[in-house]
Amino acid sequence: MLKHLYIKNYTLIDELDISFEKGFSVITGETGAGKSIILGAIGLLLGQRADSKAIKSGTDRCVVEAHFDLSRYHLNDFFETNDIEQDAEDTIVRRELTAAGKSRAFINDTPVSLAQMKELGERLVDVHSQHQNLLLTHQDFQIEVVDILANDGKELEAYRQTYTEYQDVARQLEQLREEIDMNAREADFIRFQFEELSAAKLVAGEQEELEQQSDRMTHSEDIKQALYIADTAFSGEGENVLSELSRAVKALSSIEKVFPDVSELAERMESSYIELKDQASEVSGMLEDIDFDPSELDAVNNRLDKIYDLQKKYHADSIEQLLSIQDELGSKLNHIENSDEAVAELEQQLATLAERCQKQADALTKKREQAARVIEKTLLSRLVLLGMPHVRFEINITKDKLHSNGQDKVAFLFSANTSTPLQPVSQVASGGEIARVMLAIKAMISGVVKLPTIIFDEIDTGVSGKIAEQMAQIMYEMGQQERQVISITHLPQIAALGANHYKVYKEETAKGTTSHMVQLTADERIDEIAQMLSGSNVSEAAIENARQLLKR
């Protein structure tokens, strides 16, 4: 439950520091006093979007902070999942805004994202305002009410998982059929391309080797001339490198005995002779092997031209890319040829999932129908107490095609009297009737969903007198069920039943208009309720009437 609220520099609020009690509390105040401002500040703590314009004029920063006692509400999973330190008896939620447009959020002094704050906020406070009464006219809300009170959350989650799988397989099947249709129209062209590349018998690395061969054969005469010159220098007729070096080695060797200093030099020259003789042998071998064959060059160049043509045609830079394209074309052909099997497999999967979806949807329908009868009975008894003695209410569940919530269409049918046929609540219920139906539904839901705090913002619009007392009684009873209920009201009958009474008022100061909120004492409550009864001129009769209301 909400224990404490602190607001600083928010719209018309300079500083608000107030504590709240458990049970049923009421907030009153004149129109425009600032009740909506306080709700707006609470909304920031629930993860709603911030507007820097909400910061009080003349200040650069606003702060909204609330303390909650969550010791009875088992929210450990949220704190563990988000790695936030937990203090169940004093959970602190804070939001800070700056005039520069920056927003920061904290839970127990740990910085959190707005999504995390919103996730926790949805489990802390339910703010029910007048416009939320319109939710009653929406089919999604109606089926959600039935699901909450049917307690079918596990079954609904299991169905949605199956339905998601069903949709995924249905999309795969549709895509496959579209792909098959497209490929079938292109099958002949795909086959021609594949066969053209296959017939080329491309080999990875082939292009580089052929290009080297072409270069060598194109320059074969230059190569042969260079080798001939080298061969002649090494071992040609007459004087040549090897013969002259051999003579030099023999000359030095002949004087080794009388001139030992040349021994080492003779050995080195002999080694050089041996190495040069080996090189001469290699050059001679290359010269014998080199042979220019114009037909072979034509064959190499023709092969390269074929490769270049294919690369240009298929926008490829290498043989490797051409081979990759060939593989892709082969896969497409294989896909086309085996598409019937793939379609049959997906169709079987889809049929299996459809059958499972249908069984789960049937189970959901059964639980919803059972819950609907209980909801009708309970809601009717509450609405009779709320001043509708001849009310009729039915929940009509009809089967539709499978969708994310099962197969059911849910419609709340309503009639305020016996002479009017049942029709959708959105078509026949007045604003006051919708408010009473919504309060009755909220009371039922609150018994299932353990929300710590529920705030009703003028849910009593369109009602008065005895009906208002009954609405107050329902909210009072909700506040006795381990939750805190706060009602913002203009009706004295509701204000009188609150265990705690807060007043919002405006004050004109030299610095401008400011809003304040205080908890009223017993005597102050009498004055406030008397003023609500009689207006600004409070009479003794109004004061006595206020005392009687409070005694009740």
Side-chain angles (χ1 to χ4, degrees):
M1 61 169 244
L2 175 63
K3 296 194 304 179
H4 196 86
L5 179 65
Y6 176 79
I7 305 172
K8 185 174 179 63
N9 296 334
Y10 183 74
T11 309
L12 298 180
I13 298 174
D14 282 334
E15 189 169 34
L16 174 65
D17 196 358
I18 195 161
S19 297
F20 289 88
E21 308 294 336
K22 63 181 180 179
F24 178 45
S25 299
V26 295
I27 298 175
T28 61
E30 295 180 358
T31 300
K35 300 184 293 295
S36 61
I37 294 174
I38 293 170
L39 281 181
I42 292 174
L44 291 179
L45 298 177
L46 305 184
Q48 294 178 7
R49 288 189 174 276
D51 186 347
S52 59
K53 294 178 182 178
I55 299 175
K56 187 172 177 60
S57 178
T59 64
D60 58 4
R61 178 173 171 269
C62 85
V63 177
V64 183
E65 180 177 288
H67 292 243
F68 292 88
D69 181 354
L70 306 179
S71 54
R72 297 181 179 182
Y73 297 99
H74 311 295
L75 298 180
N76 304 30
D77 59 325
F78 170 83
F79 292 92
E80 290 175 1
T81 300
N82 292 281
D83 194 24
I84 299 172
E85 185 177 347
Q86 182 183 13
D87 183 347
E89 295 183 358
D90 188 28
T91 296
I92 305 171
V93 181
R94 185 170 79 256
R95 188 88 176 269
E96 298 178 0
L97 309 179
T98 69
K102 292 184 178 180
S103 169
R104 296 198 300 168
F106 302 86
I107 298 174
N108 290 336
D109 290 326
T110 299
V112 296
S113 67
L114 210 57
Q116 289 172 307
M117 176 169 271
K118 186 175 183 180
E119 181 185 351
L120 179 62
E122 289 174 347
R123 300 173 69 176
L124 294 181
V125 181
D126 175 22
V127 179
H128 183 91
S129 57
Q130 291 181 59
H131 75 271
Q132 278 191 306
N133 286 339
L134 298 176
L135 288 174
L136 187 58
T137 64
H138 296 173
Q139 188 187 21
D140 288 346
F141 177 76
Q142 293 175 8
I143 196 169
E144 184 180 354
V145 168
V146 174
D147 282 332
I148 290 173
L149 296 173
N151 196 24
D152 61 11
K154 291 182 179 179
E155 292 88 345
L156 183 57
E157 179 62 27
Y159 167 81
R160 283 174 175 166
Q161 288 181 0
T162 304
Y163 183 69
T164 298
E165 292 178 37
Y166 172 84
Q167 287 183 306
D168 289 343
V169 173
R171 278 193 292 269
Q172 290 176 37
L173 182 58
E174 182 181 2
Q175 289 171 1
L176 177 60
R177 284 171 173 161
E178 289 176 355
E179 189 178 329
I180 289 170
D181 288 342
M182 182 179 67
N183 288 342
R185 292 191 294 269
E186 300 177 356
D188 291 341
F189 183 56
I190 293 172
R191 185 171 289 104
F192 167 77
Q193 289 181 312
F194 176 74
E195 290 176 353
E196 181 179 43
L197 290 171
S198 298
K201 300 185 183 304
L202 300 170
V203 178
E206 175 187 11
Q207 181 177 349
E208 291 79 6
E209 184 177 340
L210 288 171
E211 287 172 341
Q212 289 176 4
Q213 287 181 24
S214 177
D215 285 343
R216 186 169 61 247
M217 295 172 74
T218 301
H219 297 89
S220 60
E221 288 300 327
D222 295 334
I223 296 170
K224 184 179 290 187
Q225 180 67 24
L227 289 173
Y228 176 78
I229 292 171
D231 183 61
T232 300
F234 275 125
S235 54
E237 293 182 4
E239 296 180 355
N240 58 63
V241 171
L242 289 177
S243 62
E244 291 300 313
L245 186 58
S246 176
R247 286 179 59 203
V249 170
K250 290 178 181 178
L252 291 177
S253 297
S254 67
I255 62 173
E256 278 185 301
K257 291 182 180 180
V258 294
F259 189 45
D261 292 350
V262 300
S263 296
E264 183 182 352
L265 182 58
E267 290 178 6
R268 287 165 56 195
M269 290 178 70
E270 186 172 6
S271 296
S272 296
Y273 173 79
I274 294 171
E275 172 62 24
L276 287 173
K277 190 175 182 180
D278 186 53
Q279 291 177 16
S281 178
E282 288 185 28
V283 169
S284 179
M286 289 180 182
L287 184 59
E288 289 179 6
D289 291 340
I290 198 74
D291 188 20
F292 174 65
D293 184 350
S295 63
E296 185 177 351
L297 176 60
D298 288 341
V300 169
N301 285 337
N302 288 338
R303 179 63 173 169
L304 282 172
D305 287 343
K306 178 65 174 178
I307 293 170
Y308 294 150
D309 288 343
L310 289 173
Q311 288 177 346
K312 183 178 180 180
K313 183 175 182 178
Y314 291 95
H315 306 289
D317 296 325
S318 65
I319 284 182
E320 285 71 21
Q321 287 186 14
L322 287 172
L323 289 170
S324 177
I325 293 170
Q326 180 181 329
D327 289 341
E328 289 177 13
L329 292 169
S331 296
K332 283 187 178 181
L333 283 175
N334 184 61
H335 197 50
I336 293 170
E337 293 167 359
N338 296 287
S339 58
D340 290 344
E341 295 179 10
V343 168
E345 184 179 346
L346 284 176
E347 285 176 339
Q348 180 58 48
Q349 289 182 36
L350 194 66
T352 301
L353 288 168
E355 184 179 355
R356 195 194 312 168
C357 272
Q358 190 61 57
K359 287 182 180 179
Q360 291 174 323
D362 288 340
L364 277 172
T365 300
K366 185 176 181 180
K367 290 202 73 170
R368 285 167 176 161
E369 288 175 341
Q370 292 172 346
R373 305 293 80 81
V374 176
I375 295 169
E376 290 168 350
K377 183 177 179 181
T378 306
L379 200 64
L380 284 171
S381 65
R382 288 184 181 276
L383 292 177
V384 169
L385 292 175
L386 289 173
M388 289 188 268
H390 304 298
V391 67
R392 287 182 295 150
F393 181 86
E394 288 184 11
I395 298 176
N396 185 32
I397 299 177
T398 56
K399 288 188 178 181
D400 193 10
K401 63 180 181 180
L402 293 174
H403 52 77
S404 60
N405 287 321
Q407 63 185 344
D408 303 319
K409 291 179 68 174
V410 173
F412 286 3
L413 305 180
F414 176 86
S415 174
N417 51 67
T418 55
S419 61
T420 305
L422 284 165
Q423 296 184 57
V425 66
S426 60
Q427 298 178 15
V428 294
S430 66
E433 289 166 346
I434 285 180
R436 281 176 274 176
V437 172
M438 198 65 169
L439 176 61
I441 288 173
K442 282 278 183 175
M444 294 172 66
I445 290 175
S446 68
V448 177
V449 180
K450 301 298 183 183
L451 273 170
T453 300
I454 300 176
I455 300 176
F456 290 106
D457 181 19
E458 298 183 3
I459 194 176
D460 47 45
T461 299
V463 300
S464 60
K466 186 69 176 176
I467 297 172
E469 290 183 14
Q470 291 297 333
M471 292 180 76
Q473 185 63 40
I474 289 175
M475 288 186 277
Y476 177 84
E477 290 171 359
M478 290 170 66
Q480 305 307 303
Q481 301 170 7
E482 293 191 0
R483 78 179 48 80
Q484 178 186 51
V485 178
I486 300 172
S487 176
I488 297 173
T489 182
H490 287 293
L491 297 181
Q493 295 88 348
I494 292 178
L497 202 58
N500 311 285
H501 192 153
Y502 301 86
K503 180 178 180 177
V504 178
Y505 65 95
K506 283 198 295 191
E507 182 180 31
E508 298 295 335
T509 68
K511 295 181 179 180
T513 305
T514 58
S515 287
H516 303 273
M517 181 176 178
V518 294
Q519 184 171 3
L520 300 181
T521 64
D523 289 339
E524 289 171 336
R525 288 193 72 182
I526 294 173
D527 292 339
E528 175 70 6
I529 292 173
Q531 190 171 8
M532 294 173 74
L533 286 164
S534 63
S536 56
N537 297 319
V538 178
S539 64
E540 284 297 326
I543 291 176
E544 182 57 31
N545 196 358
R547 288 196 179 100
Q548 293 303 316
L549 281 175
L550 285 166
K551 283 182 181 179
R552 279 190 236 169

